[in-house]
Amino acid sequence: MIYLVEDDENIRELVIYTLNSQGLEAEGFSRPSQFWKAMEVTTPSLVLLDIMLPEEDGLSILKKLRSSQETGKLPVIMLTAKGSEYDTVMGLDSGADDYIPKPFRMMELISRVRALLRRTEGQEKPQEYILGELTVSPSRHVVRVDGKEVTLTLKEFELLCLLLSKQETVFSRSQLLDRIWGYEFDGESRTIDVHVRTLRQKLGSAGKYIKTVRGIGYKIGGKTV
C-alpha cells in the first residue's frame, strides 16, 4: 500500500489512478488528519508527501514519521511545487528518500517509486516471522507449523514471506505476479490462486492466516474477509 498526501484534488486523483493502473495499490488523502488516522490502521510500504498542505505542512509530517520507532525507516518521497535547490536540500536533510518537484511526469514517478521500493524491501530482513503456530525463517528457508517442518516450493516460500513481511496489507494479484514472478498482470489470475490454494493446504492449521479479499487479492493475518 502507498499513501499519498496531496490537497490538490486533480493531482491526487491522477497519481492514485496511475499507481493503481501500474499494479501499485494506493490511497490518497487531502488532509494530514486523514493520513494520520489511516496510519493508525495500516502502515504503508511508501508515502508520497506534498509539502504545502492545510493543517500541517509536509516537512512536519516527515519529521514526525522519522522520530517514531515504527515509521522511522518508512520510505518517503516528497512531491512539491517548491523545486529550488534549497528546497530540495531541506527536504532531503529532513529525512526524505527522494524529492520530485512539480510538475512531474507520471511514468518518471512510477519508476522512482519502484526503485525506492526495491532498495528498501531488501533491507533488514528479520531472522524469523512468527504468527500463531506458524514460524518462518527467511534466511534459513525453513517453515514450521506447530514445530513440524513444512516443505514448500521456492515460489510458495517467496509468496508466504512477502505476505508475512507486510501483515494486514492486501496484495493484488498483479502485485504478487510482479514481485514474485517478475512479470506484469495480464488478466489471468490462476497462477496466484493455485499457489495460494496449495500453500494453504501445505500449511495445514496455519493456512487460515492467509485471507482472501474479494475482488482484490490476498493478505495474511486479521479477520476473514
Side-chain angles (χ1 to χ4, degrees), residues 109-178:
L109 172 63
I110 295 297
S111 177
R112 289 166 78 162
V113 165
R114 289 189 187 279
L116 180 54
L117 287 173
R118 284 195 299 270
R119 290 201 306 270
T120 55
E121 283 177 352
Q123 296 174 0
E124 297 186 9
K125 291 186 178 180
Q127 292 184 342
E128 281 191 340
Y129 295 113
I130 299 175
L131 181 61
E133 67 270 38
L134 174 65
T135 302
V136 179
S137 173
S139 60
R140 295 188 293 123
H141 202 95
V142 173
V143 179
R144 289 189 173 89
V145 176
D146 283 327
K148 296 180 180 179
E149 191 165 334
V150 177
T151 301
L152 301 179
T153 67
L154 177 60
K155 293 304 182 185
E156 290 167 350
F157 183 81
E158 290 177 347
L159 177 60
L160 178 60
C161 285
L162 177 58
L163 293 172
L164 284 168
S165 71
K166 302 287 184 181
Q167 292 185 36
E168 296 296 340
T169 296
V170 180
F171 288 91
S172 67
R173 291 173 174 84
S174 176
Q175 289 174 308
L176 294 172
L177 276 172
D178 182 49

Side-chain angles (χ1 to χ4, degrees), residues 5 35-36 39 43-44 47 49 56 58-76 94:
V5 189
F35 166 74
W36 289 120
M39 288 290 291
T43 300
V47 174
L49 187 59
E56 182 179 11
L59 288 177
S60 174
I61 294 174
L62 177 61
K63 290 175 182 177
K64 288 181 181 178
L65 290 173
R66 290 292 177 255
S67 65
S68 169
Q69 184 176 356
E70 290 77 16
T71 60
K73 295 186 179 179
L74 179 64
V76 176
S94 297

Side-chain angles (χ1 to χ4, degrees), residues 1-94:
M1 174 65 77
I2 295 172
Y3 283 170
L4 165 66
V5 189
E6 168 61 69
D7 61 328
D8 187 308
E9 183 178 1
N10 293 328
I11 295 176
R12 187 173 66 254
E13 291 184 353
L14 178 58
V15 171
I16 295 301
Y17 172 80
T18 303
L19 288 168
N20 287 331
S21 69
Q22 294 296 311
L24 297 166
E25 188 182 2
E27 185 174 353
F29 308 95
S30 61
R31 293 181 175 274
S33 56
Q34 298 169 338
F35 166 74
W36 289 120
K37 187 175 181 179
M39 288 290 291
E40 294 176 0
V41 179
T42 302
T43 300
S45 54
L46 184 145
V47 174
L48 298 170
L49 187 59
D50 188 21
I51 287 184
M52 301 176 69
L53 293 166
E55 300 179 346
E56 182 179 11
D57 68 77
L59 288 177
S60 174
I61 294 174
L62 177 61
K63 290 175 182 177
K64 288 181 181 178
L65 290 173
R66 290 292 177 255
S67 65
S68 169
Q69 184 176 356
E70 290 77 16
T71 60
K73 295 186 179 179
L74 179 64
V76 176
I77 297 178
M78 308 298 291
L79 303 177
T80 177
K82 303 177 71 174
S84 70
E85 182 178 1
Y86 173 78
D87 293 320
T88 301
V89 171
M90 280 291 293
L92 295 175
D93 283 352
S94 297

